[in-house]
Amino acid sequence: MNHLKALVIKFVMIAAVLGIILAGILDFAFSDTLVISLVLTLLAYVVGDLGIFQNAGARAEQDKRNIVATLSDVLLAAIVIYFMGQSFSENSENIVAAAIVSAVVIGLGEWFFHKYIDRHVFDRADATNAQREY
């Protein structure tokens, strides 16, 4: 349940950023923006949060893990937004700038999101696993 709540939070954050930048400024269809948001949410959660953030260092090194995971999320977001934006948009002149700006803004949100999941998602999972070992 904690992972589902985290996914919803992440999706809302990404959809809000992309809604403003892609749909609001670049006139992307809102449905296309939601598709990009959904794909990016799922990829970033699996790769960035479950893969990199959770395994990038010791639990006590939260800042190091956060930096590594946030940078990977920014890079992943820029790539996904750029390529999916290219496929959805007929006028792709501004998609590079939009992908970079969106990725940086999403990265700022990811910094705080990682702090949230470290306390509310992974902490409980670690506690549950520790109880099972005894």
Side-chain angles (χ1 to χ4, degrees), residues 42-82:
L42 294 174
L43 279 174
Y45 194 73
V46 170
V47 173
D49 302 332
L50 297 179
I52 296 171
F53 179 70
Q54 196 170 15
N55 299 309
R59 185 150 172 84
E61 299 174 316
Q62 204 272 345
D63 286 339
K64 174 189 166 193
R65 294 181 315 139
N66 202 350
I67 290 169
V68 171
T70 300
L71 291 174
S72 69
D73 283 333
V74 168
L75 181 62
L76 179 66
I79 292 169
V80 169
I81 295 165
Y82 174 75

Side-chain angles (χ1 to χ4, degrees), residues 11-112:
F11 175 76
V12 169
M13 175 186 66
I14 291 172
V17 170
L18 296 184
I20 292 168
I21 294 173
L22 296 182
I25 297 173
L26 294 182
D27 292 329
F28 269 59
F30 189 68
S31 60
D32 293 344
T33 302
L34 289 178
V35 170
I36 296 171
S37 300
L38 181 62
V39 169
L40 181 55
T41 298
L42 294 174
L43 279 174
Y45 194 73
V46 170
V47 173
D49 302 332
L50 297 179
I52 296 171
F53 179 70
Q54 196 170 15
N55 299 309
R59 185 150 172 84
E61 299 174 316
Q62 204 272 345
D63 286 339
K64 174 189 166 193
R65 294 181 315 139
N66 202 350
I67 290 169
V68 171
T70 300
L71 291 174
S72 69
D73 283 333
V74 168
L75 181 62
L76 179 66
I79 292 169
V80 169
I81 295 165
Y82 174 75
F83 284 111
M84 290 190 76
Q86 288 280 47
S87 69
F88 286 130
S89 177
E90 294 173 9
N91 182 8
S92 59
E93 293 175 7
N94 298 324
I95 194 64
V96 172
I100 292 170
V101 170
S102 297
V104 169
V105 174
I106 289 169
L108 292 172
E110 288 289 342
W111 178 264
F112 296 102

